[in-house]
Amino acid sequence: MTLLKLHAIEKRFGATVALDGVDLEVDGGDVHALIGENGAGKSTLMNILSGAFPQDRGEMSLGGTAYAPMGPADSRRAGIAHIHQELALCPHLSVAENMLLGTEPSTFGWLDRGTMFDRAAALLEEFGRAEIDPHSRTGNLPLPDQQVIEICRALAWDARIILMDEPTSSLQRSNVERLFRMIGKLRDRGIAIVYISHFLEEVREIAERFTVLRDGKSVATGELRGVTDADLISFMVGGRPSPAASQRSLPRGEGSVVLEVENLASPPRLHSASFELRRGEILGIAGLIGSGRTELIRALFGLERAAAGRIRLHGSLGYLSEDRKREGLALPLSIADNITMSRLSTCARAGWLNLRLQAAQAREAMRRLNVKAAGPEIKVVRLSGGNQQKVAFARLLHQDPDVLLLDEPARGIDIATKQDVYAEITKLADSGKAILMVSSYLPELLGVCDRIAVMSRGRLSQAKPVSEWTADSIMEVAIGGTA
């Protein structure tokens, strides 16, 4: 019997189309895999289901009744629980307090702590984890135990549907098996699971049906036993041409080695990465969310602690964060301040900032990247997302490092702006800069890079010339195959 039904769901964020007609049906007691590349719309769909924001168009029904949550509390009352990839727990609270948050037992308005701890212990025992102490401080527990708390919290709300977003991305295999046993118990109780994962072997192990999203649309659905992995990968990547293919010149990377990395590790996600990067080369790092690709770049720049390995750098480093709003930009400051802040020495004399010189340098960077703003004095917070990304990139150009570490340089920007960014990356390589670029968008890597390596579960494959890769072969390695 169909428990959840979605039809023609659409969602826009300004000019960005996140969902463009998604259909989904989930039966009670069904583990339904939601599959797709990064940026396909999976998380947006889950946020709509869990009431984080409304859809723009389309219809949803739950148990045969129209479903339109006004917020997360509505979705919980309706029986939908969302377990995010990054767990949403309060580390300073106890296990029991986290599990029953929002549904605490009380008597005459007073919290009944005894009943609360008894209820938490009963839920833990039900899932074979009675050894977890309900009184323990949640932040002191290992990640697998915290995931148990999230699931038990969903049961405390009497969830009929549990949305699981990449639940195994940080788990070792023994804990994955334990999680799958839990999911089996939930399924046996008639609870439906919408399971997001990039690892096809896990999807086949736990799910019966699938739906594939691509570019915000549902493009395939059915029984998993009726399709091969090659079919699923084809559904995911489609036959898209590379938007950046016209940007590539002849293969580069004949220059001297400027960055050497040997067996770099930064647990828990980055286990081993080795590569060489040459002047004039663009080396792409492909991989799925949670694979360790971002941790690799952050460890190279010193933002994550490296537990093992060796790095040899012949020159200077510059870094572009994937999170421009929290890490990449100072939003309340002007365009000029943001562009020059990492190298103020170019526009200062005797310790005093020369505002006229700073503005001139900012205008040149804005012209180079086609930043659309009235002038360098405009605050960055007033710019569109695409122009904010250009400002973050412009700061890197102003810094003028020898090696550029680019984490999702074209994330969340429109096609025209992407072309500007691709063109500038190509120019930088042609001028002798060495570029290490992480991207979720395969056509971007295939169109811009000279070589590509793939990160899978914290391990980096051998880098090979772009001509030896296809979208399908990259995905095969990313989901756990061999290069």
Side-chain angles (χ1 to χ4, degrees):
M1 176 182 175
T2 300
L3 177 60
L4 175 68
K5 185 173 183 179
L6 281 63
H7 176 64
I9 301 298
E10 296 182 11
K11 183 65 183 178
R12 289 175 177 266
F13 297 97
T16 301
V17 179
L19 298 176
D20 191 22
V22 172
D23 298 331
L24 177 68
E25 291 190 11
V26 181
D27 296 337
D30 183 20
V31 180
H32 195 108
L34 191 62
I35 306 170
E37 289 186 275
N38 302 144
K42 304 184 299 296
S43 294
T44 299
L45 187 63
M46 295 300 97
N47 283 322
I48 287 174
L49 278 172
S50 60
F53 41 73
Q55 76 270 28
D56 296 331
R57 293 184 180 179
E59 300 174 349
M60 298 190 292
S61 64
L62 182 61
T65 303
Y67 173 64
M70 299 299 292
D74 268 2
S75 72
R76 288 194 295 267
R77 283 190 290 267
I80 294 182
H82 189 180
I83 300 177
H84 298 265
Q85 180 179 359
E86 301 297 334
L87 302 181
L89 297 170
C90 300
H92 62 289
L93 297 182
S94 70
V95 169
E97 288 167 335
N98 268 288
M99 287 171 55
L100 297 174
L101 191 63
T103 185
E104 299 91 343
S106 62
T107 303
F108 301 115
W110 292 88
L111 177 65
D112 186 343
R113 298 187 66 84
T115 300
M116 179 178 68
F117 286 112
D118 289 345
R119 171 68 172 147
L123 287 168
L124 290 166
E125 185 174 4
E126 182 178 353
F127 279 92
R129 298 304 308 277
E131 73 277 11
I132 298 178
D133 184 357
H135 298 82
S136 297
R137 184 176 181 272
T138 301
N140 295 335
L141 298 178
L143 182 60
D145 289 354
Q146 293 186 30
Q147 204 152 39
V148 170
I149 297 169
E150 279 273 24
I151 294 174
C152 288
R153 181 163 66 182
L155 296 179
W157 279 93
D158 295 323
R160 292 187 284 172
I161 300 174
I162 300 179
L163 315 175
M164 293 187 174
D165 192 352
E166 293 286 345
T168 65
S169 61
S170 299
L171 300 183
Q172 299 296 325
R173 180 59 200 178
S174 60
N175 291 314
V176 171
E177 292 172 352
R178 177 173 283 177
L179 174 64
F180 284 177
R181 287 195 294 271
M182 288 183 176
I183 291 174
K185 292 181 179 181
L186 295 171
R187 178 178 53 203
D188 293 344
R189 293 176 53 176
I191 295 172
I193 310 289
V194 178
Y195 186 91
I196 294 178
S197 178
H198 292 294
F199 302 125
L200 297 188
E201 74 277 14
E202 291 183 4
V203 166
R204 290 191 178 280
E205 187 174 349
I206 196 62
E208 298 89 21
R209 293 181 57 78
F210 75 94
T211 294
V212 175
L213 299 189
R214 185 177 73 234
D215 297 331
K217 297 181 175 68
S218 48
V219 296
T221 190
E223 298 282 341
L224 274 167
R225 62 187 176 187
V227 295
T228 65
D229 286 358
D231 293 331
L232 293 173
I233 291 172
S234 180
F235 292 145
M236 280 190 274
V237 302
R240 296 167 304 189
S242 168
S246 61
Q247 303 288 355
R248 296 192 75 249
S249 59
L250 294 175
R252 297 175 292 262
E254 298 300 324
S256 59
V257 173
V258 66
L259 178 64
E260 301 173 77
V261 178
E262 297 178 9
N263 300 317
L264 183 63
S266 180
R269 288 192 171 173
L270 177 61
H271 300 305
S272 179
S274 300
F275 64 90
E276 289 185 349
L277 180 64
R278 295 178 177 273
R279 294 188 184 277
E281 178 185 30
I282 305 174
L283 173 59
I285 304 294
L288 305 169
I289 290 175
S291 64
R293 55 187 193 171
T294 290
E295 286 76 10
L296 167 60
I297 283 195
R298 292 177 69 86
L300 289 173
F301 200 63
L303 297 174
E304 300 281 349
R305 180 177 177 274
R310 180 177 296 176
I311 301 171
R312 297 186 184 92
L313 175 65
H314 309 283
S316 57
L317 274 180
Y319 169 65
L320 179 69
S321 172
E322 65 174 338
D323 190 344
R324 62 175 174 258
K325 292 199 172 182
R326 289 195 297 179
E327 291 186 341
L329 295 166
L331 295 176
L333 299 185
S334 69
I335 295 173
D337 286 338
N338 272 275
I339 288 176
T340 60
M341 65 170 57
S342 61
R343 197 183 173 200
L344 285 171
S345 60
T346 64
C347 50
R349 296 292 182 270
W352 290 87
L353 188 63
N354 184 325
L355 295 179
R356 183 175 296 178
L357 182 57
Q358 182 193 42
Q361 292 179 357
R363 285 194 189 94
E364 172 58 24
M366 292 170 66
R367 183 201 60 76
R368 184 172 174 181
L369 285 173
N370 193 26
V371 177
K372 296 178 180 178
E377 74 282 357
I378 299 299
K379 292 184 177 180
V380 171
V381 72
R382 295 174 55 187
L383 302 181
S384 67
N387 282 295
Q388 288 182 358
Q389 185 72 4
K390 287 182 180 180
V391 171
F393 197 79
R395 182 175 66 248
L396 199 58
L397 300 184
H398 182 264
Q399 180 187 339
D400 194 30
D402 299 297
V403 179
L404 286 76
L405 307 176
L406 309 180
D407 196 354
E408 300 285 2
R411 166 172 284 175
I413 58 179
D414 60 61
I415 293 174
T417 303
K418 285 181 180 179
Q419 295 302 323
D420 292 337
V421 172
Y422 296 151
E424 193 59 42
I425 290 172
T426 301
K427 289 178 184 176
L428 288 167
D430 287 340
S431 71
K433 301 295 184 184
I435 299 170
L436 184 67
M437 184 171 82
V438 165
S439 177
S440 302
Y441 189 48
L442 300 186
E444 178 174 276
L445 293 176
L446 292 168
V448 175
C449 298
D450 302 296
R451 292 188 300 146
I452 295 174
V454 183
M455 187 74 77
S456 178
R457 304 191 186 192
R459 300 187 182 279
L460 188 66
S461 76
Q462 179 183 359
K464 298 190 295 187
V466 68
S467 60
E468 298 181 20
W469 292 104
T470 65
D472 286 4
S473 65
I474 290 174
M475 287 296 292
E476 286 172 0
V477 177
I479 62 177
T482 56

